[in-house]
Amino acid sequence: MSELVTIQKERFSVEEVITRVKSASKGIGAVVVFLGAARDFSKGEVITGLSFEHYPEMAEKKLKDIRSRALDNFNIIEMAIVHRTGPIDIGEDIVLIVAASAHRNDAFMACEWAITELKRTAPIWKRETTQKGEVWVSENP
Amino acid sequence: MSELVTIQKERFSVEEVITRVKSASKGIGAVVVFLGAARDFSKGEVITGLSFEHYPEMAEKKLKDIRSRALDNFNIIEMAIVHRTGPIDIGEDIVLIVAASAHRNDAFMACEWAITELKRTAPIWKRETTQKGEVWVSENP
Amino acid sequence: MIKVRFFAMLKGLAGTETKEYAVAAPISIESLKELIKKDFPSLSQIIDSRSLLISVNQEFASKETLVKDGDEVGFLPPFSGG
Amino acid sequence: MIKVRFFAMLKGLAGTETKEYAVAAPISIESLKELIKKDFPSLSQIIDSRSLLISVNQEFASKETLVKDGDEVGFLPPFSGG
């Protein structure tokens, strides 16, 4: 199921990932998607660009682990996680989580849990380009 | 902003609606999507097809009203709602809600509220085709 | 005229989508329900159930709402959209 | 050898991505931190802060974790993915 958890430099297609997740079962009645995008403003600073660095082997392990734990602990049918690395333009998508279940409450809970867990446990770092130069973001909201 | 609330017979593109919502602001950092799909099984019955009927003028009014109230009561930047009517095949998408905000918690809350409110207040009715024939679904989970 | 519109299972049970009533003065929702139950006995059970919602001019009505000439009244079985 | 990998701001402060240490026997994370602070004084402040996480072979380590020959140790500043 490695194609359901990917870390990539390239842009991703939300529709394509949803299709991949939905192909798991015709019993899927609810799909909840979280999409993180590059904002132009953060903590009072104008942001002109972003770049992400990651610890490749560990980040992939941690994202796969989030998917496994989501499937174990929530009543969902399938989950996909995609995170981009490298430079990302303002407005572009950074991260995608797709959770699919029979009923909507399970997909909402699993999706929200997964993005929170990703921010907490995945070794990925954001570098923002502001008018003052490039800075590593050291806090995760 | 009528193109952000639509009731249509045709299939919709999730990606296209997300793009429309994201075009509202470069301050959007989080997009939460709810997608309802036609399941093949419901309350112990195999479902082979679905069809939706609606009260056109009132349903459109109620969906626009949900979007307005979401913008008023949650800290979101934009919201789109799309609902299909007429016959829908198993696996196809039925309803789409896209909520966009600066921070993820607001988009999750608004999206979940909106789909619950849609089920509660939008005059739309589902007819399921089962092995016993066609039946109107009279309860909303 | 008051235009009554039936939806979903009500439409099937009534055998029609609409029914019009001429009224000399505004009438209550309850009075309108009685007229309809008389004309469509097959709808009596649903009309008497708590799950039926009524709209007047595309807004939800309450028991106190009065219906007058020119109004559109919807008889709405429980919703199942989404 | 123990292979230490620095990430994000630590990499910039250290001026290198990796540093290797030869050890005769397993050592504690705390001992490894002391070695690194000696070799990279610019990292001292972050290493002493509570926000630094340490991984051993791609899993989070605790203060009790021992590091041995062949292990890969990550020095991880606070995450900001997502």
Side-chain angles (χ1 to χ4, degrees):
Chain A
M1 283 306 187
S2 68
E3 74 278 13
L4 289 166
V5 175
T6 55
I7 299 177
Q8 61 186 53
K9 280 196 188 302
E10 303 74 28
R11 295 185 187 205
F12 49 78
S13 155
V14 177
E15 199 107 42
E16 197 248 308
V17 178
I18 290 174
T19 302
R20 222 183 296 161
V21 167
K22 280 181 66 184
S23 72
S25 166
K26 295 208 167 184
I28 290 171
V31 178
V32 173
V33 176
F34 174 78
L35 189 62
R39 297 166 64 209
D40 64 351
F41 200 81
S42 176
K43 297 182 193 104
E45 293 280 346
V46 174
I47 310 295
T48 56
L50 287 182
S51 184
F52 284 87
E53 177 181 321
H54 70 307
Y55 182 173
E57 305 85 342
M58 185 174 173
E60 191 168 319
K61 201 171 183 176
K62 288 293 158 195
L63 297 191
K64 285 182 177 171
D65 186 51
I66 290 168
R67 174 176 171 274
S68 298
R69 286 188 289 142
L71 290 170
D72 285 348
N73 295 317
F74 295 88
N75 194 14
I76 58 170
I77 295 170
E78 191 48 277
M79 174 176 280
I81 306 176
V82 185
H83 203 298
R84 288 179 63 201
T85 58
I88 290 181
D89 288 338
I90 298 304
E92 284 186 16
D93 298 331
I94 298 164
V95 60
L96 173 69
I97 296 185
V98 178
S101 55
H103 304 288
R104 73 185 185 283
N105 192 39
D106 302 307
F108 270 111
M109 287 200 303
C111 188
E112 194 163 10
W113 173 83
I115 181 60
T116 303
E117 198 65 3
L118 183 153
K119 286 173 179 271
R120 193 176 74 82
T121 67
I124 302 175
W125 299 273
K126 176 161 65 177
R127 193 173 170 80
E128 292 177 342
T129 305
T130 71
Q131 284 162 320
K132 295 177 187 162
E134 296 198 5
V135 285
W136 287 106
V137 178
S138 62
E139 283 175 279
N140 220 336
Chain B
M1 284 303 187
S2 68
E3 74 277 14
L4 288 166
V5 175
T6 55
I7 299 177
Q8 61 186 53
K9 279 197 190 300
E10 302 74 28
R11 295 186 186 205
F12 49 78
S13 154
V14 177
E15 199 106 41
E16 197 249 308
V17 178
I18 290 174
T19 302
R20 223 183 296 161
V21 167
K22 280 182 67 184
S23 73
S25 165
K26 295 207 168 187
I28 290 171
V31 178
V32 174
V33 175
F34 174 78
L35 189 62
R39 297 165 66 209
D40 64 351
F41 201 81
S42 177
K43 297 182 193 104
E45 293 281 345
V46 174
I47 310 296
T48 56
L50 286 181
S51 184
F52 284 87
E53 176 181 320
H54 70 308
Y55 181 173
E57 305 87 341
M58 185 172 174
E60 192 168 319
K61 201 171 183 176
K62 289 294 160 196
L63 297 192
K64 284 182 176 171
D65 185 52
I66 290 168
R67 175 175 170 274
S68 298
R69 286 188 290 142
L71 290 170
D72 286 348
N73 295 318
F74 294 89
N75 194 15
I76 58 168
I77 295 170
E78 192 47 277
M79 175 177 278
I81 305 175
V82 185
H83 203 297
R84 288 180 63 200
T85 57
I88 290 181
D89 289 337
I90 297 305
E92 283 186 14
D93 298 331
I94 298 164
V95 60
L96 173 68
I97 296 187
V98 178
S101 57
H103 303 289
R104 72 184 186 283
N105 192 40
D106 302 308
F108 270 112
M109 287 200 302
C111 188
E112 195 163 8
W113 174 83
I115 181 61
T116 303
E117 199 64 4
L118 183 153
K119 286 172 179 271
R120 193 176 72 84
T121 66
I124 303 175
W125 298 273
K126 176 162 65 177
R127 192 172 170 80
E128 292 177 342
T129 307
T130 71
Q131 284 162 319
K132 294 177 188 160
E134 296 199 6
V135 284
W136 287 106
V137 178
S138 61
E139 281 176 281
N140 220 336
Chain C
M1 299 290 260
I2 293 169
K3 184 181 182 185
V4 177
R5 293 176 69 169
F6 301 117
F7 292 95
M9 68 182 67
L10 288 174
K11 188 170 70 181
L13 289 168
T16 180
E17 285 190 38
T18 57
K19 171 76 181 171
E20 298 202 331
Y21 290 95
V23 287
I27 62 168
S28 69
I29 296 283
E30 290 308 306
S31 306
L32 183 63
K33 282 184 177 179
E34 292 308 315
L35 288 174
I36 291 181
K37 279 156 66 176
K38 209 173 60 187
D39 288 343
F40 302 97
S42 57
L43 300 185
S44 291
Q45 199 189 329
I46 295 186
I47 288 177
D48 288 338
S49 79
R50 284 189 196 196
S51 62
L52 188 80
L53 290 171
I54 307 286
S55 65
V56 175
N57 300 329
Q58 292 94 49
E59 287 297 342
F60 293 112
S62 68
K63 279 194 175 174
E64 289 73 42
T65 307
L66 289 179
V67 190
K68 60 183 193 307
D69 190 53
D71 283 350
E72 178 174 293
V73 180
F75 274 59
L76 318 173
F79 305 147
S80 47
Chain D
M1 301 291 261
I2 293 168
K3 183 183 184 183
V4 176
R5 294 175 70 169
F6 301 117
F7 293 95
M9 68 181 68
L10 288 175
K11 188 169 70 180
L13 289 168
T16 181
E17 287 191 35
T18 58
K19 171 76 179 170
E20 299 201 329
Y21 291 95
V23 288
I27 62 168
S28 69
I29 296 283
E30 290 308 307
S31 307
L32 182 63
K33 282 184 177 179
E34 292 308 315
L35 289 174
I36 290 181
K37 279 155 65 177
K38 209 173 58 183
D39 288 343
F40 302 97
S42 58
L43 299 185
S44 290
Q45 200 190 328
I46 296 185
I47 288 177
D48 288 339
S49 78
R50 284 190 197 195
S51 62
L52 188 80
L53 290 171
I54 307 285
S55 65
V56 175
N57 301 330
Q58 292 95 48
E59 287 297 342
F60 294 113
S62 68
K63 281 194 173 172
E64 289 72 41
T65 308
L66 289 179
V67 191
K68 60 183 192 308
D69 190 53
D71 283 350
E72 178 176 291
V73 180
F75 274 60
L76 318 173
F79 305 147
S80 48

